[in-house]
Amino acid sequence: MGDMTNSDFYSKNQRNESSHGGEFGCTMEELRSLMELRGTEAVVKIKETYGDTDAICRRLKTSPVEGLPGTAPDLEKRKQIFGQNFIPPKKPKTFLQLVWEALQDVTLIILEIAAIISLGLSFYHPPGESNEGCATAQGGAEDEGEAEAGWIEGAAILLSVICVVLVTAFNDWSKEKQFRGLQSRIEQEQKFTVVRAGQVVQIPVAEIVVGDIAQVKYGDLLPADGLFIQGNDLKIDESSLTGESDQVRKSVDKDPMLLSGTHVMEGSGRMVVTAVGVNSQTGIIFTLLGAGGEEEEKKDKKAKQQDGAAAMEMQPLKSAEGGDADDKKKANMHKKEKSVLQGKLTKLAVQIGKAGLVMSAITVIILVLYFTVDTFVVNKKPWLPECTPVYVQYFVKFFIIGVTVLVVAVPEGLPLAVTISLAYSVKKMMKDNNLVRHLDACETMGNATAICSDKTGTLTTNRMTVVQAYVGDIHYKEIPDPSSINAKTMELLVHAIAINSAYTTKILPPEKEGALPRQVGNKTECGLLGFVLDLKQDYEPVRAQMPEEKLYKVYTFNSVRKSMSTVIKLPDESFRMYSKGASEIVLKKCCKILNGVGEPRVFRPRDRDEMVKKVIEPMACDGLRTICVAYRDFPSSPEPDWDNENDILNELTCICVVGIEDPVRPEVPEAIRKCQRAGITVRMVTGDNINTARAIAIKCGIIHPGEDFLCLEGKEFNRRIRNEKGEIEQERIDKIWPKLRVLARSSPTDKHTLVKGIIDSTHTEQRQVVAVTGDGTNDGPALKKADVGFAMGIAGTDVAKEASDIILTDDNFSSIVKAVMWGRNVYDSISKFLQFQLTVNVVAVIVAFTGACITQDSPLKAVQMLWVNLIMDTFASLALATEPPTETLLLRKPYGRNKPLISRTMMKNILGHAVYQLTLIFTLLFVGEKMFQIDSGRNAPLHSPPSEHYTIIFNTFVMMQLFNEINARKIHGERNVFDGIFRNPIFCTIVLGTFAIQIVIVQFGGKPFSCSPLQLDQWMWCIFIGLGELVWGQVIATIPTSRLKFLKEAGRLTQKEEIPEEELNEDVEEIDHAERELRRGQILWFRGLNRIQTQIRVVKAFRSSLYEGLEKPESRTSIHNFMAHPEFRIEDSQPHIPLIDDTDLEEDAALKQNSSPPSSLNKNNSAIDSGINLTTDTSKSATSSSPGSPIHSLETSL
């Protein structure tokens, strides 16, 4: 479909173009073929055909300085002739297609077939029906009307199947719609800077037309093809189109071609747009990909269709795995497909499904055998040919009962609950300033154990202000009085700051009275410009006198240089270079400094050391960022060799050093405290000076004075993690990262190395789940490598957003905490739903099974089961999956990857409630008719009318489910199940709605639902028994889980499975062979463990008898602690899960300690954990951490 619409689109444009071509000096075809050339060919072609880029601008009727006039008719005409900057998206699936997909479900198909057979048979009246020989089995009188009603059951089943299908399809459809809404929101938010009528404006990418003059800067993702007109130091990463990871330098005379979908890695400039939409390079690729690419794109759920970046995932820039970009692109398409939660759920669903299949098969077999034995062996009936249809009808009825058991057993609501929960969370997270680009990122965030955060803009407000300065040999602690600064120095200072900064950076008057002035552009430069204004000077006239076109040469800021310099030509033909940058880097290159009267004096290395001690370090310790401003004069002849940077950026004269404050956001310390309480370690990774970083980290509460932690600089970090050959070693990283809190002066590669190191670490028993925040282009690789990447919505560059999973629309760290809360909430919602779902499954299956075996007929009929299935699956998943999160979610540690979905407490609840429900239902089934003085409904003939007896059973069953749904709201054994119930209107509506429908079904359902109307007192009894669930829930909550050792947990990813299913699929490209070997080693370990296990069992038996009478003594937590670990782990018959549910509040302290892994193994959390832990941790680290000790190796491999 996709490529058809594209080609239509295309041919239409061509037709237009042929008629209008004359209005502009070049046609779309010409421009398009021009854009396919590269490098020198392109330059030659432009020279031959057009003359130069200015000539092309004239032909396109645009001015390189003023841009397009921007009038509506002109823009319309351009869109008509050259097309729009928009790639037509693939059509969404229609509702009917979704219905068809929902019908593919196997169980539903089986049911449909069974129902159709049943329907067919009910209309077939064989001649032998009156024959006494075979009718005895039917027993009882049967009036004509009843026989006529035989078709109702089949029809009802078909109807309920249709209901289920429609509901599923509708859910999928709304999900798709939501996703498209989200996408269009992402697209609308994507703006680009163009010049129109001399004004710099930001317009949505789709509005860009051919002939626009666009301003490109560091971090942009180019939205259309164009020619480079003017600019400085522009470097582009074209790997998304060419697969070459080297950055390409652009210049007017060597390579002016700028292509859509590529990333600006450095510098800035202007381009004239020559091709948009389907005619741009990316658009052409999309058209070629056609339908195929579109399929891919849907899988990758990241179709930012406008800029076509979906087809080309960003390649890690020069990261450790640079080479194989092409293979990686293919692999990336399927990366991050299956999240941890979905892995666990799929596994659980499969297990339950298998169990259900076995049960239903046994049910059918028993029913058939009982019937045949009873009819043909006990009563010795001959098989008469005319009786065949009657018998077949029986067999079909048995088959339908079997299938219904299967339908109830298979939890098809599980995937539904996950999608609803995720979709709901994503929608609500928008309100919390989280724009989620990948659904599963939301749930992964709940498991996060580490956050590596940027400093600037995330932890701080990103409103830079100069608060201290060192000018003319004096260190001013606040902004100096303008009169105290020498006039020469002042002039140099103003020029150096105004000219040597991006001209797009400005300070505008505040929007509201009394607000702060608005800072536009690079915030550090805004701080410096603000300093100029504070000195009662103005930078605008300086810029007007030296416009951007006149700048002779610009060395733009990048993460390697850490400084920016601009060269201008003075009136006397000599050159002057202004420079600014990180003070310790720029001061190294200074050999003079301006003194109090504005004269340069010699600045020797020892002066520099003194200055660092006296000025820079004190500033940095106040959490200020120090910037040095300097200049250098060059003679006019011989002209210096500008490309030889080392010689140029040297022998500078320092004008001043300023301390820029970037205040910590007021809400950050609280947010970080919440993270630490929730078991998440926050680390700061910044390009700033180490003293500044440390000061800010203390203000934020990332480090507390007196704790044992590391603050490293990038250089030192690299020295510690690399071996003699300079290769990075995982063991070395493992020694550092648990204590590392601040990494300063770090390069992008360091950030990537740290994230990769933490993720690949096997140092803790749970694999760490790492979230990373970033805003710059250089953060791309780290964002991509992390489990969850957060990009900044305001300060972030397109490249960072492209690589991220969640965009923080307000750039605020506390939104990350919200994301953690939502992620944990998703997980808990699923668990709540499971707890409810499984109780119903267990009960319904057992009732149908035993009922069928004892009374030859299931007490719950097929249609009733389908109704129960519908409330259980669809409605309950809606009700329980939309619980709003509460702050209490942040009080527990992360679950980790191998935490079972169904904890002990949940298992206790499921089995406990099942016991209650089964007891009551069987009581009603076998002695109910005596209690209510009604006819027994057991052993009813084939088409007999529905009995009150069975209706009461059905009604009670549903009532119990309804009240149990309220119980299911809490999964950690809390007592108050009504807590916050009114905050969730969906839940209340669904419970009441289900109740209302149930009344209708029972009173008016009649034959199709096999219900007969009940009296008021019978209703009261049903509701009363249902209410008993709530009371019983309290009884269950009283039983301490720690006593129920025999309960197994279910639905976990064991390590063995996690390796092939999870990891290898997830990042094939990132696991190198050594790691695979390591994992193989792990599997061998498990085999060894099975042997050790028996020995430890002996020890365990010994110890348990020893401590039988005593209270468990304290000492046991200190020295025996390391023994206690394996013992607790191996309690379960499967050795590979080092985890007992630690969320149960009832467990006593000693047990708790051994079972909550984050506190015991991340020794860095010790300060947050309880007092006792502090003592035990030290002794344990002494015993278990000496790498040589065998216990240590046992622990890690576990």
Side-chain angles (χ1 to χ4, degrees), residues 877-929:
S877 59
L878 256 177
L880 292 168
T882 51
E883 289 271 299
T886 53
E887 289 283 327
T888 46
L889 287 169
L890 293 176
L891 298 177
R892 62 170 175 75
K893 300 276 173 272
Y895 277 153
R897 295 203 148 219
N898 358 13
K899 157 92 169 61
L901 269 178
I902 300 172
S903 62
R904 283 242 165 105
T905 316
M906 288 168 59
M907 210 50 159
K908 175 184 76 175
N909 290 345
I910 292 172
L911 296 180
H913 287 295
V915 167
Y916 174 82
Q917 297 187 7
L918 286 172
T919 318
L920 280 167
I921 286 185
F922 284 136
T923 313
L924 285 178
L925 181 59
F926 296 114
V927 291
E929 72 274 19

Side-chain angles (χ1 to χ4, degrees), residues 462-478:
N462 208 359
R463 264 202 79 84
M464 308 276 191
T465 37
V466 172
V467 288
Q468 293 187 20
Y470 178 88
V471 190
D473 294 341
I474 305 175
H475 184 176
Y476 298 93
K477 292 288 177 154
E478 56 253 355

Side-chain angles (χ1 to χ4, degrees), residues 216-218 228-236 248-252 264-271 499-504 547-557 561 564-567:
V216 294
K217 58 178 186 312
Y218 157 85
F228 186 53
I229 325 177
Q230 165 264 322
N232 32 52
D233 235 5
L234 191 68
K235 287 195 184 141
I236 305 257
V248 187
R249 256 200 118 105
K250 297 292 178 186
S251 61
V252 183
V264 183
M265 299 317 288
E266 218 179 280
S268 59
R270 293 180 167 194
M271 70 169 189
I499 292 174
N500 184 26
S501 56
Y503 278 34
T504 47
E548 207 171 355
E549 293 78 52
K550 283 201 189 158
L551 300 179
Y552 197 79
K553 172 105 182 102
V554 178
Y555 298 95
T556 50
F557 181 88
R561 279 191 199 124
M564 167 179 181
S565 314
T566 305
V567 181

Side-chain angles (χ1 to χ4, degrees), residues 73-104:
D74 177 55
L75 295 178
E76 258 320 295
K77 194 159 68 192
R78 286 172 193 271
K79 281 185 189 167
Q80 284 284 310
I81 296 179
F82 298 109
Q84 289 176 311
N85 192 20
F86 164 75
I87 295 171
K90 187 166 181 274
K91 282 212 174 75
K93 285 191 173 156
T94 57
F95 189 67
L96 288 175
Q97 279 169 309
L98 291 170
V99 168
W100 177 243
E101 276 175 22
L103 277 172
Q104 310 295 311

Side-chain angles (χ1 to χ4, degrees), residues 819-862:
V820 172
M821 212 156 78
W822 277 107
R824 293 187 170 189
N825 190 50
V826 167
Y827 208 98
D828 281 7
S829 298
I830 303 301
S831 297
K832 289 171 190 173
F833 172 64
L834 266 176
Q835 179 176 309
F836 175 68
Q837 165 91 19
L838 292 180
T839 314
V840 189
N841 278 2
V842 170
V843 176
V845 170
I846 294 181
V847 167
F849 177 69
T850 40
C853 300
I854 299 170
T855 66
Q856 289 85 65
D857 185 9
S858 160
L860 298 172
K861 300 287 181 286

Side-chain angles (χ1 to χ4, degrees), residues 33-105:
S33 56
L34 172 67
M35 290 318 289
E36 280 166 6
L37 301 173
R38 299 279 175 274
T40 38
E41 300 174 27
V43 180
V44 173
K45 171 92 168 141
I46 292 173
K47 270 217 175 67
E48 284 174 359
T49 324
Y50 304 101
D52 59 357
T53 40
D54 286 352
I56 293 184
C57 290
R58 282 198 296 281
R59 289 195 182 199
L60 288 173
K61 301 188 180 163
T62 178
S63 135
V65 184
E66 297 282 308
L68 291 176
T71 55
D74 177 55
L75 295 178
E76 258 320 295
K77 194 159 68 192
R78 286 172 193 271
K79 281 185 189 167
Q80 284 284 310
I81 296 179
F82 298 109
Q84 289 176 311
N85 192 20
F86 164 75
I87 295 171
K90 187 166 181 274
K91 282 212 174 75
K93 285 191 173 156
T94 57
F95 189 67
L96 288 175
Q97 279 169 309
L98 291 170
V99 168
W100 177 243
E101 276 175 22
L103 277 172
Q104 310 295 311
D105 187 21

Side-chain angles (χ1 to χ4, degrees), residues 758-819:
I758 298 180
I759 289 181
D760 295 346
S761 170
T762 48
H763 182 75
T764 46
E765 56 185 332
Q766 291 285 356
R767 167 165 122 50
Q768 295 275 314
V769 178
V770 184
V772 170
T773 68
D775 50 5
T777 308
N778 48 12
D779 295 325
L783 286 172
K784 221 165 181 43
K785 175 70 189 138
D787 296 288
V788 183
F790 286 93
M792 301 294 141
I794 304 168
T797 55
D798 292 346
V799 180
K801 290 181 187 171
E802 204 37 53
S804 68
D805 303 299
I806 296 180
I807 296 175
L808 296 176
T809 48
D810 62 346
D811 286 17
N812 192 337
F813 188 84
S814 57
S815 304
I816 298 180
V817 182
K818 292 263 176 51

